[in-house]
Amino acid sequence: MEFVPFQKIPRLSRDCVITEKLDGTNASVFIGDNGEFLTGSRTRWITPEDANYGFARWAQENKDELMLLGPGHHFGEWWGAGCQRRYGLTEKRFSLFNTHRWSDEAGVRPACCHVVPVLYQGPFTTYFVADALSQLEQSGSMAAPGFMDPEGVIVFHVASGVLFKKTIKG
């Protein structure tokens, strides 16, 4: 019989990143080493003909700029006008989830992309999760200032590589 080791258990009191949870639709761009360009929803590849609220069409129109993301699978939220909460916007936006890689303002990220707002970064405690939710409830969305019905937060626990969500309502 093959030995199966017990998994390593990450420490809970390690760094986390708490971001605003945007209420749109999960979307992604895949760029292959050979220049292959694909778009996806949370569960499947999509084309401009089955657009996922128009994401695949938008991505094809912005392909040259999106190619600057480089090889890899780039996940984000497609949100705004005509998509879930709408956030009082007149356009849709693509906000990347990888805040570590894309949140710098040095112009590295393609201009057509946004990044989910970071509400807290540091050691994990439930206090900071509650504080981030309270901040959103009181001040509204950081992604769309003035929008007073944000959805909640995403907590990325760095040591475990696991995401958790906590919504304001429900």
Side-chain angles (χ1 to χ4, degrees), residues 97-163:
F97 293 149
N98 188 338
T99 62
H100 177 73
R101 182 170 180 186
W102 300 114
S103 64
D104 75 57
E105 297 301 321
V108 176
R109 159 179 92 242
C112 65
C113 296
H114 297 263
V115 177
V116 292
V118 174
L119 306 175
Y120 169 79
Q121 191 166 349
F124 172 81
T125 70
T126 56
Y127 168 82
F128 291 117
V129 176
D131 187 57
L133 284 167
S134 177
Q135 177 185 342
L136 287 172
E137 276 187 291
Q138 293 173 17
S139 302
S141 171
M142 288 187 63
F147 182 74
M148 297 306 294
D149 188 26
E151 186 177 13
V153 298
I154 297 291
V155 179
F156 174 62
H157 188 269
V158 176
S160 67
V162 175
L163 294 164

Side-chain angles (χ1 to χ4, degrees), residues 19-22 119 133 136 150-154 166-168:
T19 59
E20 182 176 348
K21 182 180 186 317
L22 300 174
L119 306 175
L133 284 167
L136 287 172
E151 186 177 13
V153 298
I154 297 291
K166 187 153 178 74
T167 56
I168 293 171

Side-chain angles (χ1 to χ4, degrees), residues 57-129:
R57 195 172 324 108
W58 173 87
Q60 282 298 321
E61 291 167 2
N62 290 277
K63 179 180 176 179
D64 290 342
E65 197 170 347
L66 289 168
M67 291 297 284
L68 298 173
L69 292 168
H73 208 149
H74 307 282
F75 293 93
E77 194 77 2
W78 179 241
W79 62 286
C83 198
Q84 308 301 0
R85 288 174 198 250
R86 300 187 174 129
Y87 290 82
L89 297 175
T90 57
E91 79 284 348
K92 290 186 185 82
R93 296 178 182 172
F94 181 51
S95 292
L96 296 161
F97 293 149
N98 188 338
T99 62
H100 177 73
R101 182 170 180 186
W102 300 114
S103 64
D104 75 57
E105 297 301 321
V108 176
R109 159 179 92 242
C112 65
C113 296
H114 297 263
V115 177
V116 292
V118 174
L119 306 175
Y120 169 79
Q121 191 166 349
F124 172 81
T125 70
T126 56
Y127 168 82
F128 291 117
V129 176

